[in-house]
Amino acid sequence: MLVTHRGASPNVHAGAYVAPTAVLIGDVTVADGARILHGAVLTAEDGEVTVGENSIVMENALVRGRAKHPARIGDSCMVGPHTHVNGADVGDEVFIATGASLFPGSVVGKGSEVRINAVVQVNTRLEPGAVVPIGWVAVGDPASILPPDQHDRIWEIQRGLDFPGTVYGVDRSTTMGELMRRQSDFYGEHRGDLEI
């Protein structure tokens, strides 16, 4: 399904494939040879989404573009099932395994691997060829790659990366009530979407 959002419509190259149950919303560009499989959602909320040549976005993956952090998937990439690529810049020839999560402002260098259920935190930079092991967390610029049982060390680095400011444009003191009011207003823009 192709949907116009905020006045922008998806642009799919004639040589690409988008499954009938995939959803492309707004300023989404899909290049020649790219494949968007069943249940995938590519949503340009207020920032673009691009998928490069011969890249594959597998079933039920979410790729989200943001105003300050467009989502870019390079050429010849694999975005595994149930992954979450949110405002991340993914270089060419990157493998993102099932269930991985990439957060706004993250940059994944060419030829990197983000393995099953691994996390690349906000504003984190992975050098080309880096590997984030199964379930591990990459955090910082340059990235420290840590096992999940090192929460205190992860938080020590993550605290300075400004997750609330990067993801929501608010400071850490913003209440959940205020944050969700703002998010409700933001996502309310979908009431004006049009299916193409």
Side-chain angles (χ1 to χ4, degrees):
M1 176 187 316
L2 304 181
V3 177
T4 297
H5 177 62
R6 297 180 190 259
S9 299
N11 180 6
V12 179
H13 190 280
Y17 170 76
V18 176
T21 58
V23 182
L24 279 57
I25 304 167
D27 190 7
V28 176
T29 301
V30 179
D32 188 19
R35 308 294 184 238
I36 312 301
L37 300 185
H38 293 277
V41 176
L42 284 64
T43 180
E45 289 301 333
D46 59 351
E48 67 184 19
V49 172
T50 59
V51 178
E53 291 185 4
N54 300 315
S55 286
I56 300 171
V57 178
M58 299 290 289
E59 297 86 355
N60 301 310
L62 171 65
V63 180
R64 178 181 314 236
R66 309 178 73 86
K68 293 182 182 176
H69 302 287
R72 179 189 163 276
I73 308 295
D75 295 338
S76 303
C77 292
M78 169 65 73
V79 177
H82 301 283
T83 59
H84 179 96
V85 178
N86 184 355
D89 186 346
V90 177
D92 297 338
E93 301 174 11
V94 169
F95 178 82
I96 304 170
T98 301
S101 297
L102 284 63
F103 287 94
S106 62
V107 176
V108 179
K110 179 179 179 176
S112 293
E113 293 184 27
V114 182
R115 294 186 175 159
I116 297 169
N117 295 328
V119 174
V120 181
Q121 268 298 347
V122 297
N123 301 319
T124 292
R125 179 175 300 274
L126 287 176
E127 296 298 322
V131 174
V132 184
I134 294 172
W136 283 40
V137 178
V139 60
D141 183 2
S144 293
I145 301 173
L146 302 167
D149 65 352
Q150 291 192 16
H151 177 268
D152 291 343
R153 178 72 180 121
I154 293 167
W155 178 242
E156 179 183 318
I157 300 167
Q158 183 182 346
R159 182 176 36 229
L161 297 178
D162 190 24
F163 186 93
T166 301
V167 176
Y168 300 112
V170 300
D171 63 46
R172 198 167 292 285
S173 66
T174 303
T175 67
M176 194 64 175
E178 173 63 16
L179 179 58
M180 288 302 98
R181 185 194 61 73
R182 290 178 182 212
Q183 290 296 287
S184 176
D185 290 346
F186 178 77
Y187 290 112
E189 291 290 322
H190 284 288
R191 291 179 293 192
D193 289 358
L194 298 171
E195 186 176 341
I196 301 172

